[in-house]
Amino acid sequence: MTTLPWLQHLIVVPVLLPLLVGALLIPVNQNRHTLKFAMSLTSSVLLWLVAVALLLMADGGHWADGIGVYLASNWAAPFGIALMVDRLAALMLVLTATIALAVLVFSAQRWDRVGVSFHSMFQFLLMGLNGAFLTNDLFNLFVFFEVMLAASYGLVLHGYNLRRIRAGMQYIAINLAASLLFLIGVALIYGAAGTLNIADLSQRVASLGAQDAWLLQVGASILALAFLTKGAMWPLGFWLPTTYASASAPVAAMLVLMTKVGVYAVLRVWLAVFGDAAGALDGFGLAALGVGGMATLAFGAIGMLASQDGGRMAGYGAIISSGTLLAVIGHSGSAVLASGLYYLLGSTLAMAAFMLLIELTERIRPPGAALIAITMEAFAIEDKPEEPVGVGIPGSLAFLGLSFAACALVISGMPPLAGFVAKFSLFHAMLASTAEMDGGVPTRTWVLIALMVSGGLAAIIALMRLGVRTFWAAGVVTPPRLKVSEAAPVTALVLLCVLLTVQAGTVFDYLGRTVDGLARNADYSARVLGEPPVLRAPAAEGAR
């Protein structure tokens, strides 16, 4: 009898644990806030530990080729559901768990109490996110996307007011349309190739006939529209700034991570299906992705300069981040991928910290500012709960100012923090990958570099303007009262950005191994399709 090592079951834990905890939290009375928070926090801490364990296993030689496979229901791929963890999936799991922990602690003082079922929806959101990173099947990717989106619908409307309801309805409508496109694209791909397993699909692409190849390209294009709507590529990401500005701070921080799921899906599917082994379809759609990414980058920079509200400014900052990632992926494929992943880590952590920080900096405003804001919104009811009573942290203004400056430096890509390291490495990688081409560096490379520099300048100008208005132009201000549970998550995320800078060499070494693994498409397919099911021992004679 063949048994499955118990460590192998860790692969499915990031999906099952939040599902079970979220279900258990539903019948718990809403008045028992401490119990609900304790259960949710325990689940999130365990998820972080499991994610770190999976990362160490993927990078430490525990699995062949650094790829672990888990066959749900013991059905072999491509017929059964196969969950797969490699260095990239494990990295995204750790990033998700880290931001989730920070968000959960931040929300403990008030945001988890201004509506119902916050913790259940939060756990279901984590289930959808983790499942999207682990799945190796397009249909199950659709299922996990829907779980993630269904939870996010409730969270976006959490603590609702008129403004949040309007933005939430737009968010729901756009994502329902994207889900429909997702399903249509999946159906066309299955009709063309006869499989939805990504590893199996990558082996069949090169052998497809002309008609099936054309149908596959149509299906993949429609699927890309769904991914890029969630990834906020221009013009599909028009919904994002309004949603960011209207959502509560913890939810907006999680939306930053959700935007990167669309980018991850494009990266995972396109590298596997339209890689070197795709024959005539090698690199399909990458040129269009590069152009769309550059347009998104320009749109985000213009929007950031035009924004006055911190939430909308953060939304356009997230669009700049997505546009940069999509542009570099489409421009050079896997050649600059390590630098792009480093940029993803730094920008996501900084943007999540910035979304939480906006909530705290708004307390600096004098009371008259809030009254004017209410009047300008046609007497809409203020959606934020009353300021909690607590002991003010000494130097709270200095803490907010330093945190704001650190986030601004990372988001804009200015030295000396991780944003600058990421952009510098991107420039170096793009120039190095095209330097040996006949005719020198192509024009599109210089255009992309110019857009990235312009986007950084636009971001620092907009953020400096916001910082001046918040910390200096507000007149005499009283240092805001901050809870330790509110300051600690922001501090942790900012310190992670600093650590990412200090340990850039170590991180790049890991990302280099990640990219090398992604480039070995044959190893990936062999590991997923070759994973044997667990054999059961035959029944004993006496048991018949």
Side-chain angles (χ1 to χ4, degrees), residues 357-370:
L357 196 61
I358 290 175
E359 156 84 11
L360 304 181
T361 56
E362 287 181 350
R363 300 178 190 175
I364 297 175
R365 297 182 305 172

PDB file of all heavy atoms in Angstrom, residues 357-370:
ATOM      1  N   LEU A 357      -2.655  53.558   5.615  1.00  0.00           N
ATOM      2  CA  LEU A 357      -2.151  54.836   6.116  1.00  0.00           C
ATOM      3  C   LEU A 357      -3.112  55.979   5.819  1.00  0.00           C
ATOM      4  O   LEU A 357      -3.238  56.924   6.617  1.00  0.00           O
ATOM      5  CB  LEU A 357      -0.788  55.114   5.488  1.00  0.00           C
ATOM      6  CG  LEU A 357       0.091  56.182   6.133  1.00  0.00           C
ATOM      7  CD1 LEU A 357       0.419  55.787   7.570  1.00  0.00           C
ATOM      8  CD2 LEU A 357       1.368  56.351   5.321  1.00  0.00           C
ATOM      9  N   ILE A 358      -3.796  55.922   4.683  1.00  0.00           N
ATOM     10  CA  ILE A 358      -4.751  56.972   4.332  1.00  0.00           C
ATOM     11  C   ILE A 358      -5.819  57.109   5.409  1.00  0.00           C
ATOM     12  O   ILE A 358      -6.220  58.214   5.792  1.00  0.00           O
ATOM     13  CB  ILE A 358      -5.388  56.675   2.961  1.00  0.00           C
ATOM     14  CG1 ILE A 358      -4.343  56.867   1.856  1.00  0.00           C
ATOM     15  CG2 ILE A 358      -6.587  57.583   2.702  1.00  0.00           C
ATOM     16  CD1 ILE A 358      -4.847  56.476   0.491  1.00  0.00           C
ATOM     17  N   GLU A 359      -6.269  55.962   5.920  1.00  0.00           N
ATOM     18  CA  GLU A 359      -7.275  55.962   6.989  1.00  0.00           C
ATOM     19  C   GLU A 359      -6.766  56.733   8.214  1.00  0.00           C
ATOM     20  O   GLU A 359      -7.507  57.485   8.842  1.00  0.00           O
ATOM     21  CB  GLU A 359      -7.584  54.510   7.360  1.00  0.00           C
ATOM     22  CG  GLU A 359      -8.115  54.292   8.749  1.00  0.00           C
ATOM     23  CD  GLU A 359      -9.609  54.498   8.831  1.00  0.00           C
ATOM     24  OE1 GLU A 359     -10.245  54.604   7.770  1.00  0.00           O
ATOM     25  OE2 GLU A 359     -10.128  54.539   9.957  1.00  0.00           O
ATOM     26  N   LEU A 360      -5.490  56.573   8.543  1.00  0.00           N
ATOM     27  CA  LEU A 360      -4.938  57.210   9.732  1.00  0.00           C
ATOM     28  C   LEU A 360      -4.650  58.688   9.500  1.00  0.00           C
ATOM     29  O   LEU A 360      -4.852  59.511  10.401  1.00  0.00           O
ATOM     30  CB  LEU A 360      -3.657  56.488  10.167  1.00  0.00           C
ATOM     31  CG  LEU A 360      -3.792  54.977  10.428  1.00  0.00           C
ATOM     32  CD1 LEU A 360      -2.457  54.393  10.866  1.00  0.00           C
ATOM     33  CD2 LEU A 360      -4.873  54.699  11.460  1.00  0.00           C
ATOM     34  N   THR A 361      -4.167  59.046   8.332  1.00  0.00           N
ATOM     35  CA  THR A 361      -3.824  60.445   8.067  1.00  0.00           C
ATOM     36  C   THR A 361      -5.065  61.328   7.975  1.00  0.00           C
ATOM     37  O   THR A 361      -4.983  62.533   8.227  1.00  0.00           O
ATOM     38  CB  THR A 361      -3.026  60.573   6.761  1.00  0.00           C
ATOM     39  OG1 THR A 361      -3.761  59.983   5.677  1.00  0.00           O
ATOM     40  CG2 THR A 361      -1.681  59.873   6.878  1.00  0.00           C
ATOM     41  N   GLU A 362      -6.210  60.740   7.646  1.00  0.00           N
ATOM     42  CA  GLU A 362      -7.435  61.542   7.568  1.00  0.00           C
ATOM     43  C   GLU A 362      -7.854  62.078   8.932  1.00  0.00           C
ATOM     44  O   GLU A 362      -8.629  63.028   9.014  1.00  0.00           O
ATOM     45  CB  GLU A 362      -8.562  60.712   6.949  1.00  0.00           C
ATOM     46  CG  GLU A 362      -8.396  60.499   5.444  1.00  0.00           C
ATOM     47  CD  GLU A 362      -9.534  59.707   4.851  1.00  0.00           C
ATOM     48  OE1 GLU A 362     -10.348  59.175   5.635  1.00  0.00           O
ATOM     49  OE2 GLU A 362      -9.615  59.607   3.621  1.00  0.00           O
ATOM     50  N   ARG A 363      -7.337  61.499  10.006  1.00  0.00           N
ATOM     51  CA  ARG A 363      -7.680  61.982  11.340  1.00  0.00           C
ATOM     52  C   ARG A 363      -6.964  63.288  11.667  1.00  0.00           C
ATOM     53  O   ARG A 363      -7.274  63.933  12.669  1.00  0.00           O
ATOM     54  CB  ARG A 363      -7.318  60.929  12.387  1.00  0.00           C
ATOM     55  CG  ARG A 363      -8.039  59.609  12.181  1.00  0.00           C
ATOM     56  CD  ARG A 363      -7.623  58.588  13.216  1.00  0.00           C
ATOM     57  NE  ARG A 363      -8.141  57.272  12.879  1.00  0.00           N
ATOM     58  CZ  ARG A 363      -7.860  56.165  13.556  1.00  0.00           C
ATOM     59  NH1 ARG A 363      -7.071  56.238  14.609  1.00  0.00           N
ATOM     60  NH2 ARG A 363      -8.364  55.000  13.181  1.00  0.00           N
ATOM     61  N   ILE A 364      -5.980  63.650  10.864  1.00  0.00           N
ATOM     62  CA  ILE A 364      -5.265  64.905  11.096  1.00  0.00           C
ATOM     63  C   ILE A 364      -6.128  66.103  10.735  1.00  0.00           C
ATOM     64  O   ILE A 364      -5.976  67.187  11.300  1.00  0.00           O
ATOM     65  CB  ILE A 364      -3.960  64.918  10.270  1.00  0.00           C
ATOM     66  CG1 ILE A 364      -3.041  63.795  10.737  1.00  0.00           C
ATOM     67  CG2 ILE A 364      -3.238  66.250  10.367  1.00  0.00           C
ATOM     68  CD1 ILE A 364      -1.778  63.646   9.913  1.00  0.00           C
ATOM     69  N   ARG A 365      -7.045  65.916   9.804  1.00  0.00           N
ATOM     70  CA  ARG A 365      -7.849  67.040   9.322  1.00  0.00           C
ATOM     71  C   ARG A 365      -8.666  67.659  10.441  1.00  0.00           C
ATOM     72  O   ARG A 365      -9.212  66.953  11.288  1.00  0.00           O
ATOM     73  CB  ARG A 365      -8.787  66.575   8.199  1.00  0.00           C
ATOM     74  CG  ARG A 365      -8.071  66.067   6.975  1.00  0.00           C
ATOM     75  CD  ARG A 365      -9.065  65.672   5.906  1.00  0.00           C
ATOM     76  NE  ARG A 365     -10.028  64.708   6.396  1.00  0.00           N
ATOM     77  CZ  ARG A 365     -11.100  64.311   5.717  1.00  0.00           C
ATOM     78  NH1 ARG A 365     -11.359  64.833   4.534  1.00  0.00           N
ATOM     79  NH2 ARG A 365     -11.929  63.424   6.220  1.00  0.00           N
ATOM     80  N   PRO A 366      -8.789  68.983  10.452  1.00  0.00           N
ATOM     81  CA  PRO A 366      -9.632  69.638  11.454  1.00  0.00           C
ATOM     82  C   PRO A 366     -11.094  69.291  11.235  1.00  0.00           C
ATOM     83  O   PRO A 366     -11.495  68.899  10.141  1.00  0.00           O
ATOM     84  CB  PRO A 366      -9.374  71.135  11.214  1.00  0.00           C
ATOM     85  CG  PRO A 366      -8.889  71.221   9.808  1.00  0.00           C
ATOM     86  CD  PRO A 366      -8.128  69.961   9.547  1.00  0.00           C
ATOM     87  N   PRO A 367     -11.937  69.448  12.267  1.00  0.00           N
ATOM     88  CA  PRO A 367     -13.344  69.074  12.144  1.00  0.00           C
ATOM     89  C   PRO A 367     -14.060  69.776  10.996  1.00  0.00           C
ATOM     90  O   PRO A 367     -14.943  69.216  10.382  1.00  0.00           O
ATOM     91  CB  PRO A 367     -13.937  69.468  13.504  1.00  0.00           C
ATOM     92  CG  PRO A 367     -12.773  69.459  14.439  1.00  0.00           C
ATOM     93  CD  PRO A 367     -11.591  69.885  13.639  1.00  0.00           C
ATOM     94  N   GLY A 368     -13.688  71.016  10.701  1.00  0.00           N
ATOM     95  CA  GLY A 368     -14.363  71.734   9.627  1.00  0.00           C
ATOM     96  C   GLY A 368     -14.202  71.082   8.279  1.00  0.00           C
ATOM     97  O   GLY A 368     -15.083  71.158   7.424  1.00  0.00           O
ATOM     98  N   ALA A 369     -13.057  70.391   8.072  1.00  0.00           N
ATOM     99  CA  ALA A 369     -12.826  69.734   6.795  1.00  0.00           C
ATOM    100  C   ALA A 369     -13.823  68.612   6.567  1.00  0.00           C
ATOM    101  O   ALA A 369     -14.316  68.413   5.456  1.00  0.00           O
ATOM    102  CB  ALA A 369     -11.402  69.193   6.738  1.00  0.00           C
ATOM    103  N   ALA A 370     -14.111  67.870   7.627  1.00  0.00           N
ATOM    104  CA  ALA A 370     -15.093  66.799   7.499  1.00  0.00           C
ATOM    105  C   ALA A 370     -16.472  67.353   7.180  1.00  0.00           C
ATOM    106  O   ALA A 370     -17.221  66.782   6.389  1.00  0.00           O
ATOM    107  CB  ALA A 370     -15.126  65.981   8.785  1.00  0.00           C
TER     108      ALA A 370
END
